[in-house]
Amino acid sequence: MVESYKVVFIGEPGAGKTTCVAALSDIEPITTEVPASGELALMKDTTTVAFDYGEMALEGGERLLLYGLPGQERFSFMFEVVRHGLLGIIVLVDASSAHALDGLRETLKTYAKELEHLPWLIAVNKARDSADSLRRACQTLLFQSRLIAPIVTVDARKRESIAHMFEILFTLLEYGDERSREQELLA
């Protein structure tokens, strides 16, 4: 049986979750896109109402299962569907949104417990420049939320850019495993 691992992308509407899954997936991604309505329709044509799913082949034959989940609290129950076997979380922030920090704040509040127990990072997407000021604002919000995570700038349309996030996530995972083993030896 082929071993598989999971990574989840979460964030506000329009942050790039569907785009990330599509850019990485070796299979045709499964999406739950429907026409956007209300204020959201001013930002984008469609929105995800459940989650996106894709798969990526890893060296050695393993599979990385990719999930895109909405960051809003009303969808948080879907996290339970993907929790088992989850390696880490990538929180996407839409740099082109005037309300990027509000979306991040809601995502951090909604998933705070999960973020405390899993490797994760923040990925600033759709940045027109280096996004230094937004990354600093994200750092401040993390500090206020008593959370710690790397913050990177990505282009969700480019597989290489997203793959860099995985390198960071796997490094965090490896370091966390080493710390767990050290703590077990000290106990």
Side-chain angles (χ1 to χ4, degrees):
M1 182 167 169
V2 174
E3 190 151 4
S4 62
Y5 308 97
K6 297 177 187 174
V7 171
V8 67
F9 297 92
I10 57 176
E12 66 180 309
K17 302 172 297 290
T18 301
T19 304
C20 281
V21 171
L24 290 169
S25 186
D26 297 329
I27 64 168
E28 184 67 31
I30 298 168
T31 63
T32 56
E33 296 279 303
V34 298
S37 60
E39 287 183 33
L40 191 56
L42 300 174
M43 292 173 38
K44 55 191 265 182
D45 295 331
T46 61
T47 190
T48 302
V49 293
F51 60 78
D52 301 312
Y53 173 79
E55 294 183 10
M56 181 179 177
L58 299 175
E59 291 180 20
E62 298 100 346
R63 304 291 300 161
L64 185 61
L65 309 181
L66 311 164
Y67 295 90
L69 299 179
Q72 303 98 310
E73 194 278 327
R74 69 180 179 272
F75 295 112
S76 63
F77 67 92
M78 287 189 288
F79 194 86
E80 293 306 316
V81 174
V82 300
R83 177 185 300 279
H84 181 73
L86 188 61
L87 290 181
I89 301 170
I90 297 171
V91 177
L92 289 160
V93 176
D94 180 359
S96 69
S97 170
H99 306 289
L101 290 177
D102 293 334
L104 176 59
R105 186 176 290 108
E106 182 176 2
T107 300
L108 295 178
K109 181 180 172 193
T110 300
Y111 294 101
K113 287 184 180 183
E114 288 78 8
L115 297 173
E116 290 175 3
H117 301 288
L118 287 164
W120 69 289
L121 61 90
I122 292 178
V124 176
N125 186 32
K126 301 182 188 177
R128 297 208 191 288
D129 53 27
S130 66
D132 287 339
S133 62
L134 180 55
R135 286 201 320 257
R136 281 193 298 278
C138 290
Q139 274 183 320
T140 300
L141 187 53
L142 283 177
F143 180 76
Q144 293 167 347
S145 302
R146 296 192 165 127
L147 294 167
I148 298 172
I151 302 170
V152 298
T153 303
V154 300
D155 184 340
R157 300 166 299 176
K158 297 182 179 174
R159 187 176 178 120
E160 318 78 60
S161 183
I162 303 164
H164 177 67
M165 291 187 301
F166 288 151
E167 292 173 21
I168 295 169
L169 202 56
F170 292 142
T171 299
L172 292 170
L173 185 64
E174 182 179 355
Y175 177 72
D177 282 349
E178 287 177 14
R179 285 188 56 204
S180 295
R181 283 191 292 273
E182 288 172 5
Q183 289 172 349
E184 287 173 11
L185 292 174
L186 295 173

